[in-house]
Amino acid sequence: LRSAYAEYEKSIARRQQAEARAGQSLLTQEQTAEKENKLRLAEEERKKEAARREADQRREQAQQERLRLLQDAQVQREREETEELIRQKRAQELRKKSSGAIKPKGGAILSRVQAWNSKVENHLSVQTSTPFKRASLTRHPRPGDPDYGRAKEGSRTAERAASAQEWVDKEINKFLAVFREIANAADGASTPTVKFGTLFEAYQEISDSLVGIMMRAKKRGLIDYEGDMLFQGRHSHVEVRMLAPAT
């Protein structure tokens, strides 16, 4: 009886092990199927994304092609306008030569004709040299040239730029003077240092352009501080160091 009971227990244990192996195999199959399904979905998503990128590239290329055609048409129109102005000028000169010089009494008409011709010549000169016309007959400065990004000498734009630069230099010198005064009042360190909050409170009665002047002074290597643009309250603890020699 004991032997039969032991055999019965062994058979139950074997059946449980078989059921466990079957369950484990079924779980493994389900995990494998789930993994394959995830891989398939990921591959389909990748293909969709590639198709979307390709469609976006085609649309961008089409837009660039349309823009290029429009630019070419604009260049052609401007070139034709310039050539037409030149033809009109030459025709006018030919008519003047064929009809002879106009010499009315007192020279009033001649002076008007000369004034008109001068206006036409100036207009043609501007049209062939302006950087906003693609049909310009002159070479304009390119990136890397000394005159690139600079106003034409003697122009009102150059005068305004020089005036603005002079104002910036004056404001930077004023800022450095205030900075040295605050730093000397604080301590006599070899490298003057002032917190932005203290500097802001002292400078708010002087000018409202402190942050912009500080950015320009930092760009010139006169001061140094962490970050680029400082804000009141948020960066009051940031220390600003003087790099310019004391004057």
Side-chain angles (χ1 to χ4, degrees):
L1 182 59
R2 289 179 180 176
S3 176
Y5 183 75
E7 188 65 26
Y8 173 73
E9 287 183 346
K10 289 180 180 180
S11 64
I12 292 175
R14 287 194 296 270
R15 186 168 62 252
Q16 290 177 349
Q17 291 177 358
E19 291 177 353
R21 285 194 296 271
Q24 184 66 28
S25 176
L26 181 61
L27 180 61
T28 303
Q29 292 177 359
E30 291 178 352
Q31 291 176 348
T32 302
E34 183 179 0
K35 185 181 296 184
E36 292 177 352
N37 187 37
K38 289 182 179 180
L39 292 175
R40 181 179 57 80
L41 292 176
E43 181 65 18
E44 291 178 356
E45 185 64 25
R46 186 187 64 79
K47 290 181 179 179
K48 291 180 181 178
E49 182 64 24
R52 284 195 296 268
R53 287 198 299 268
E54 185 177 358
D56 292 340
Q57 290 177 356
R58 286 198 298 269
R59 284 195 297 270
E60 184 177 357
Q61 291 175 357
Q63 291 177 356
Q64 291 178 354
E65 182 64 20
R66 288 194 296 269
L67 180 60
R68 185 185 64 80
L69 293 175
L70 290 174
Q71 290 176 347
D72 292 343
Q74 180 67 16
V75 169
Q76 183 64 26
R77 285 196 301 271
E78 293 176 351
R79 185 180 293 110
E80 291 175 355
E81 291 175 359
T82 303
E83 292 175 353
E84 180 63 23
L85 289 173
I86 294 174
R87 283 195 297 270
Q88 292 178 3
K89 176 62 177 176
R90 290 177 179 173
Q92 185 179 4
E93 291 177 353
L94 290 175
R95 287 195 300 269
K96 286 175 61 177
K97 290 180 180 180
S98 61
S99 61
I102 301 176
K103 297 181 180 179
K105 185 177 180 180
I109 298 179
L110 179 59
S111 62
R112 292 182 182 180
V113 171
Q114 291 175 348
W116 174 256
N117 290 338
S118 177
K119 289 183 178 181
V120 172
E121 291 176 358
N122 292 336
H123 177 72
L124 289 176
S125 176
V126 172
Q127 291 299 310
T128 56
S129 62
T130 175
F132 300 103
K133 289 183 69 64
R134 296 180 178 275
S136 175
L137 303 180
T138 58
R139 181 185 180 277
H140 302 296
R142 305 294 183 186
D145 293 346
D147 296 335
Y148 181 75
R150 296 176 179 270
K152 186 177 179 180
E153 293 186 3
S155 64
R156 297 183 63 185
T157 302
E159 294 177 0
R160 289 192 292 268
S163 177
Q165 185 62 40
E166 182 180 356
W167 180 85
V168 171
D169 294 340
K170 183 177 67 175
E171 290 297 321
I172 288 178
N173 291 332
K174 183 194 302 182
F175 164 76
L176 294 178
V178 174
F179 190 100
R180 292 190 183 97
E181 183 179 351
I182 298 175
N184 292 335
D187 54 27
S190 58
T191 303
T193 302
V194 179
K195 290 186 177 181
F196 175 69
T198 304
L199 190 61
F200 188 91
E201 292 177 0
Y203 209 85
Q204 62 183 352
E205 300 295 335
I206 301 174
S207 175
D208 59 353
S209 57
L210 172 64
V211 176
I213 296 300
M214 287 180 61
M215 293 174 65
R216 286 165 174 80
K218 181 181 179 182
K219 187 176 181 180
R220 297 186 183 185
L222 302 176
I223 62 173
D224 186 32
Y225 54 86
E226 184 179 355
D228 187 16
M229 179 178 292
L230 303 181
F231 295 93
Q232 181 189 13
R234 180 179 178 183
H235 299 110
S236 296
H237 64 284
V238 175
E239 292 187 349
V240 183
R241 296 178 297 279
M242 171 75 72
L243 303 179
T247 58

